[in-house]
Amino acid sequence: EEAGTNAEKAAVAGPEKGVQGINVLPLASLKKSENGIPRSSEKLTVPADSFDQRLFRIFVSHRWLQPKKPHPDANGHPKYQLILKCIEDMQKRGWVPSDDDKIVLWIDYACINQDAKDPAAELNDNMLRIVGMCDMVLTPVVDEEWESWAAHLERDQIEKDVAGTYGAKQWQDYWKRAWCLLEMFFAAHVPFTPQLVLPLIGGEVLNFVTEKKARPHVLYGMRESEKNEIAFFLVPLRDEKLEENDPGNGELFSENDRPKIRYHVKELRISTMIRQSKTDEAVATFGAFDVANVLDKLAEVHKEQCQFQQQLERVQEALEVRRKDPKSSDNAVAGTLMTMGLVYERLGRFDIALRTHEEALEMQKKIHGHDHVDVARTYGNMANVHEALGDFDKALELNQKVLDIFTATFGHDHVD
């Protein structure tokens, strides 16, 4: 109910979305691919914020089968086929939307620019947000020799401990890989709002979400495909598992990625401490800069999930952390105030939103002067609030200031 009510309030606050800058692969496009899992250069992906309706989003977490080539799949596209068959099976059972147009996927090979000098760098600022926007994690396991370990095992025996009992070599290797471990931990620890996904799911997925209050992570291998069985559900990884299976110590194809992995592990540890109401301890351990950045990212995840009260709490924490930190810049504080004003707008608390924007405005004028684009954007935010309050003359006056500054800065023919 809260998510539904907040989704209505979101319309008041404007088009800003938490999934900006992230691409996804529509299921319909994946099915049409002639080359299996498509490469980013095939340009089959679309911006995640380009849809008018809430879609079911699947994060594909997998170990690349040909890292030296490099390619995530093997000859004949067996992983690609497993992904499609698993989703098709879930659709037939009513677990996920039956309409292909209501499902999108995030797959690294397709959704990250593979022609970039360092494709993994694109994940540095977005990993938490990418996982946070997704409703399910799917791990396809290519295992042509599954009978060698599974012949003597019944399904219920595997279900008791999927992580430990599922004997496929690719699955065992998955648990050794740094990126794979990181994705599992993010899936279990990044905020998840069951209410948003409930209208899109049914069956065992609905049962899992209702019982666990967690983002489902399913495993689907050749065993399940050939036996026409359903996917296995993994138990969400608890906090203590991070010490036992630290992604920072995991295997990598390129040691150049090690600093990125350790950076994300630090994000995980900080987010865990925040969730445990230990923000001050996190600041003492990791520093105000990193803690404030994680709070910003968690706020973005809450925004995407229409949890605006939780978004507000994270932004308030970020503001407090930055104000207490002598190294924090006034510009960072002003930017946090801008964000807070927008959240108050989404919550319909327009008087507080206006005061917050005014505080940001005064700081920005001192930092940049009266004619800076950041000042103009805050004028625009204030205009939106006055419009919502029915004060159209004031809204017009403020929007004229925005136009004057943008025209002077960019010229008369700029898109802004």
Side-chain angles (χ1 to χ4, degrees):
E1 290 176 352
E2 179 191 1
T5 302
N6 286 339
E8 294 176 5
K9 291 178 180 176
V12 178
E16 185 186 9
K17 299 180 182 178
V19 292
Q20 287 179 332
I22 298 173
N23 289 331
V24 292
L25 177 64
L27 177 58
S29 298
L30 179 63
K31 285 187 172 182
K32 294 176 183 177
S33 174
E34 297 178 355
N35 302 311
I37 299 174
R39 196 176 188 274
S40 60
S41 54
E42 296 180 47
K43 300 189 182 303
L44 296 181
T45 60
V46 295
D49 61 354
S50 63
F51 300 94
D52 295 329
Q53 59 180 325
R54 180 67 165 82
L55 304 181
F56 190 77
R57 302 166 181 154
I58 300 174
F59 182 104
V60 177
S61 175
H62 60 120
R63 178 184 180 277
W64 283 35
L65 299 183
Q66 299 185 78
K68 293 182 180 180
K69 191 172 182 178
H71 198 280
D73 210 346
N75 295 334
H77 315 310
K79 183 183 291 184
Y80 168 78
Q81 294 167 11
L82 283 174
I83 293 170
L84 291 184
K85 187 169 182 180
C86 179
I87 295 174
E88 181 181 354
D89 182 67
M90 291 192 292
Q91 287 178 309
K92 288 180 179 179
R93 297 175 188 274
W95 291 11
V96 300
S98 58
D99 185 349
D100 287 352
D101 291 333
K102 292 186 177 181
I103 297 179
V104 294
L105 300 92
W106 190 91
I107 307 176
D108 49 7
Y109 190 65
C111 299
I112 293 179
N113 182 7
Q114 298 299 311
D115 293 318
K117 183 178 180 181
D118 182 10
E122 191 173 326
L123 285 175
N124 269 359
D125 289 329
N126 288 332
M127 172 68 88
L128 195 151
R129 295 173 58 230
I130 291 169
V131 177
M133 78 173 187
C134 291
D135 307 307
M136 169 184 279
V137 177
L138 164 61
T139 296
V141 178
V142 175
D143 176 28
E144 296 179 352
E145 300 178 356
W146 63 269
E147 291 186 59
S148 65
W149 63 267
H152 65 288
L153 290 174
E154 298 296 331
R155 181 179 177 88
D156 60 350
Q157 293 176 285
I158 300 174
E159 284 180 321
K160 291 177 181 178
D161 179 18
V162 179
T165 307
Y166 202 88
K169 184 180 185 303
Q170 288 296 329
W171 177 240
Q172 294 170 350
D173 289 345
Y174 177 93
W175 274 86
K176 300 174 184 177
R177 305 299 303 174
W179 282 111
C180 297
L181 286 169
L182 192 67
E183 290 162 3
M184 279 198 291
F185 278 109
F186 269 111
H189 291 269
V190 173
F192 175 70
T193 305
Q195 292 89 340
L196 280 180
V197 75
L198 291 181
L200 299 172
I201 59 177
E204 292 301 313
V205 174
L206 177 60
N207 293 339
F208 181 94
V209 169
T210 303
E211 178 185 349
K212 304 290 187 182
K213 302 292 189 296
R215 182 180 289 102
H217 185 168
V218 298
L219 180 158
Y220 190 80
M222 286 185 164
R223 175 198 173 280
E224 291 67 63
S225 175
E226 295 183 22
K227 291 173 71 71
N228 291 316
E229 289 188 359
I230 59 176
F232 286 103
F233 287 81
L234 300 173
V235 176
L237 295 176
R238 299 184 181 276
D239 294 342
E240 60 270 16
K241 291 292 183 180
L242 184 57
E243 303 302 326
E244 299 174 19
N245 302 277
D246 187 345
N249 299 325
E251 296 177 359
L252 288 165
F253 295 125
S254 171
E255 279 299 316
N256 292 334
D257 288 348
R258 185 74 61 190
K260 303 179 184 69
I261 294 291
R262 288 177 176 159
Y263 168 80
H264 290 304
V265 172
K266 179 167 64 175
E267 283 190 322
L268 271 172
R269 296 185 190 281
I270 291 172
S271 63
T272 296
M273 295 175 79
I274 291 170
R275 190 179 70 250
Q276 296 170 344
S277 301
K278 297 179 179 178
T279 302
D280 290 341
E281 184 178 335
V283 171
T285 305
F286 298 103
F289 181 84
D290 285 328
V291 172
N293 282 345
V294 171
L295 285 164
D296 289 341
K297 292 176 183 179
L298 290 172
E300 286 290 306
V301 172
H302 285 303
K303 178 178 71 175
E304 164 60 19
Q305 297 176 3
C306 295
Q307 291 184 315
F308 302 128
Q309 184 57 44
Q310 289 89 334
Q311 182 192 5
L312 177 61
E313 291 168 4
R314 295 302 180 229
V315 174
Q316 288 173 330
E317 284 185 273
L319 180 63
E320 182 179 356
V321 168
R322 289 187 169 113
R323 279 181 161 163
K324 288 181 177 179
D325 179 24
K327 296 180 182 178
S328 184
S329 69
D330 290 342
N331 198 41
V333 173
T336 309
L337 285 167
M338 282 182 67
T339 302
M340 185 179 296
L342 292 171
V343 183
Y344 278 125
E345 285 183 57
R346 293 189 184 95
L347 291 169
R349 298 164 70 177
F350 299 115
D351 291 340
I352 303 177
L354 192 57
R355 292 198 299 271
T356 306
H357 286 318
E358 289 171 347
E359 185 179 356
L361 180 67
E362 291 308 308
M363 291 191 70
Q364 289 165 333
K365 286 180 178 178
K366 290 179 181 178
I367 298 166
H368 304 297
H370 290 250
D371 300 323
H372 193 271
V373 290
D374 282 354
V375 172
R377 291 189 176 100
T378 299
Y379 278 138
N381 292 337
M382 293 168 64
N384 290 338
V385 177
H386 281 289
E387 183 179 350
L389 291 171
D391 188 351
F392 302 114
D393 289 339
K394 187 64 175 179
L396 181 61
E397 175 190 333
L398 291 167
N399 275 320
Q400 184 62 54
K401 291 184 177 183
V402 177
L403 181 61
D404 291 342
I405 295 173
F406 277 11
T407 302
T409 304
F410 302 118
H412 289 266
D413 299 324
H414 193 272
V415 291
D416 282 346

